Amino acid sequence: MNKIKQIWYNIKRIPFIEDNYERLIGQKKIAKKMQHQQEEIQNNGVKYLNLVESSMNKSGGLYYAYAGTLLGIVRDKRLIKWDLDIDFAVVITDDFSWNDLQKVMAKSGFKKIREFVFEGLVTEQTYQVDRLTIDFFGQFYDGKRMIQYSYDKLDEVEYASNSEYSVYLVTLPKVNKTKYIEVDGVNVSVPCNAEEILASIYNDDWKIPNPTWKSNSGKCSLLLKGKIGHQIMD
């Protein structure tokens, strides 16, 4: 580290300056990153949808566009302009594991950058290619329904570390089959009961665009009070 960098590093360590630096400069960095992610979705999102499809359609796993990606494809026949990443679900079974997913994605140049773990169970993984991230939400068969886990930071909870998150149990209609919806020339896998899934996640008014919608506010999500999940970065 050169002298100028060392001096600036020492200045930032002064408590008052450090707090304001993180609050002001940190927020600007986050806003800039979000802008870049939105631009990447708008400019190249369809290309990455195609890359995911070409990677996964012969994998043997059951997968489909999910969350905001599914909402945009079904409702608008395109990706949502304010989205920050691409979301897919993958059904984890004895026949298709997280390790299988990682091998499939690595062959197409995707790098796993993080995963979420709850009570020893991997429940979500994020992959990156170029400047875009792809979230894969693990879903698990549970009788006549499907379950998954979702995570959030809550103001009223004191976390022991930055890696800790509050946990929601997400209960969804069971998905057995998928179909394709075309988006700008790319056939994207979606659940055959996509509208039922969307009503569970976004409530019955899901067809009305809502840029201020908050994660885990749908009728399918239940906060597991006192439970903690962990984000593990690769």
Side-chain angles (χ1 to χ4, degrees), residues 16-210:
F16 173 77
I17 293 178
E18 180 180 15
D19 292 344
N20 283 278
Y21 178 86
E22 293 300 328
R23 180 171 58 85
L24 298 175
I25 304 302
Q27 288 178 0
K28 288 182 180 180
K29 286 183 177 180
I30 291 172
K32 188 173 183 180
K33 182 178 180 180
M34 290 174 63
Q35 181 183 349
H36 287 163
Q37 288 175 311
Q38 288 176 337
E39 291 173 352
E40 191 73 2
I41 287 284
Q42 291 304 301
N43 295 334
N44 298 305
V46 173
K47 179 181 77 173
Y48 295 118
L49 282 176
N50 187 49
L51 187 54
V52 172
E53 285 292 336
S54 62
S55 302
M56 290 293 293
N57 61 16
K58 296 181 181 179
S59 67
L62 180 60
Y63 71 97
Y64 34 87
Y66 184 63
T69 300
L70 179 64
L71 178 62
I73 289 172
V74 172
R75 187 186 65 198
D76 308 323
K77 301 299 185 289
R78 59 175 173 80
L79 295 172
I80 296 173
K81 63 182 180 180
W82 56 79
D83 227 345
L84 299 175
D85 54 19
I86 289 177
D87 300 317
F88 273 80
V90 58
V91 180
I92 301 299
T93 65
D94 292 339
D95 297 321
F96 193 82
S97 67
W98 288 112
N99 286 335
D100 294 324
L101 175 66
Q102 189 169 352
K103 290 175 183 177
V104 168
M105 299 304 287
K107 287 181 180 179
S108 297
F110 291 89
K111 179 183 178 182
K112 181 166 74 77
I113 60 172
R114 72 171 181 176
E115 62 185 17
F116 280 93
V117 177
F118 176 56
E119 296 185 343
L121 178 71
V122 176
T123 63
E124 182 182 330
Q125 289 185 341
T126 299
Y127 290 81
Q128 185 168 7
V129 59
D130 300 329
R131 291 166 55 183
L132 192 72
T133 56
I134 316 287
D135 287 333
F136 279 93
F137 296 89
Q139 297 187 346
F140 306 87
Y141 289 132
D142 183 28
K144 296 182 179 181
R145 62 181 187 172
M146 306 191 76
I147 61 171
Q148 73 167 74
Y149 297 93
S150 183
Y151 303 88
D152 204 354
K153 291 283 192 183
L154 303 180
D155 293 338
E156 64 271 22
V157 178
E158 292 188 11
Y159 301 98
S161 69
N162 288 334
S163 69
E164 292 191 347
Y165 283 75
S166 295
V167 185
Y168 290 81
L169 174 64
V170 180
T171 304
L172 297 165
K174 193 171 184 178
V175 177
N176 290 312
K177 295 181 180 179
T178 60
K179 61 183 180 181
Y180 289 111
I181 292 181
E182 184 177 328
V183 181
D184 289 340
V186 175
N187 287 323
V188 183
S189 300
V190 303
C192 287
N193 55 341
E195 294 198 0
E196 191 179 7
I197 296 289
L198 290 170
S200 295
I201 299 172
Y202 298 103
N203 298 321
D204 294 331
D205 60 350
W206 63 271
K207 292 183 180 180
I208 302 172
N210 180 10

